[in-house]
Amino acid sequence: MTEYLPALIWSLSAFACLFIAKRRALRITAIRAILVTFLGPFAIPFALAAKPEMYG
């Protein structure tokens, strides 16, 4: 079971990053999706630091 733990953490962090991006009204682009895929848990601070899109 412990060999699946890193994959579980990586997947949960991707969902958390997607959730944060949607809550902050960030546009999810292919580049950001690749960033989340490669950085895993380390992508969450980037989602928090990104500026939200301004519509209007």
Side-chain angles (χ1 to χ4, degrees):
M1 183 66 186
T2 58
E3 57 269 5
Y4 296 117
L5 197 57
L8 179 67
I9 292 170
W10 210 270
S11 298
L12 288 176
S13 68
F15 287 120
C17 190
L18 180 65
F19 179 74
I20 291 168
K22 284 190 176 204
R23 286 283 287 208
R24 298 197 67 226
L26 296 174
R27 193 167 25 135
I28 300 167
T29 61
I31 293 172
R32 287 187 181 157
I34 291 170
L35 183 75
V36 169
T37 303
F38 287 125
L39 294 180
F42 301 109
I44 294 173
F46 289 115
L48 292 172
K51 290 186 178 186
E53 298 290 326
M54 293 299 201
Y55 299 109

